[in-house]
Amino acid sequence: METGSAGSAEDTGAADGEPVWTGLPPGLLRMRRLLLVVWLGLTAVATGLLLGLTAGPVWASFALLPSALTAWGWVMLGRNWRSWRYAERADDLLICRGVLWREETVVPYGRMQLVEVTSGPVERHFGLASVQLHTAAAATDATIPGLDPAEAERLRDRLTELGEARSAGL
């Protein structure tokens, strides 16, 4: 699953010149799948009850539609989660994501203006945090979701340090 642009072995820490990719922790996948099951499960129950009581039991079978969406979403969430990864190189950070349309974002350390660690109430409950990188160009802002809080803070501190060393941002 390693892909990326070429770099020297010293830049990436990899012997073959490829970046060393880090995937997202499984906690993000668990959180997203739980939210999917809760929301679509509630939708299925509400649809079944509402249609069953007002239109009859045959119409209550439409409650199977959210259940089918849950099964499809379960698989799609897994594929999406596996597609996310990031790599720290000597001069920039690579973020790769996407199943059908692959997107690789390169954020030069010297262009970063702000590095934030955020964690909403649901993320905090699951022990997750996101790192958001802001640059002068809005098109190159990037986010790495669902990291362990300790890893998010380590990444923030490292990116801030490298940005200051490049003296163009932070």
Side-chain angles (χ1 to χ4, degrees):
M1 194 182 224
E2 289 187 1
T3 62
S5 59
S8 68
E10 307 87 51
D11 292 349
T12 63
D16 61 356
E18 289 290 319
V20 178
W21 292 102
T22 304
L24 299 181
L28 178 65
L29 180 60
R30 279 193 301 273
M31 178 189 77
R32 288 180 175 173
R33 282 182 169 168
L34 179 66
L35 290 173
L36 173 78
V37 169
V38 167
W39 286 110
L40 287 178
L42 289 174
T43 302
V45 169
T47 302
L49 285 175
L50 184 64
L51 290 175
L53 293 174
T54 59
V58 173
W59 288 94
S61 64
F62 277 102
L64 296 175
L65 188 59
S67 300
L69 285 174
T70 301
W72 178 76
W74 188 275
V75 173
M76 292 300 109
L77 284 173
R79 290 182 66 196
N80 180 269
W81 172 77
R82 283 188 301 277
S83 76
W84 276 87
R85 58 200 172 157
Y86 65 96
E88 300 172 59
R89 297 193 305 180
D91 296 319
D92 51 34
L93 177 74
L94 300 175
I95 302 172
C96 189
R97 65 192 167 278
V99 177
L100 292 178
W101 286 272
R102 302 287 288 162
E103 184 176 330
E104 188 169 308
T105 304
V106 180
V107 183
Y109 298 133
R111 300 284 186 196
M112 286 188 280
Q113 293 183 332
L114 175 68
V115 181
E116 291 182 300
V117 174
T118 59
S119 185
V122 176
E123 286 179 307
R124 279 194 307 274
H125 177 74
F126 283 91
L128 301 172
S130 297
V131 173
Q132 182 155 9
L133 312 164
H134 298 277
T135 63
T140 58
D141 286 0
T143 301
I144 304 173
L147 297 173
D148 295 319
E151 172 63 9
E153 290 176 15
R154 184 205 65 81
L155 191 58
R156 178 200 58 209
D157 294 344
R158 175 163 164 70
L159 296 175
T160 302
E161 179 183 312
L162 289 168
E164 288 173 349
R166 302 301 189 273
S167 72
L170 303 168

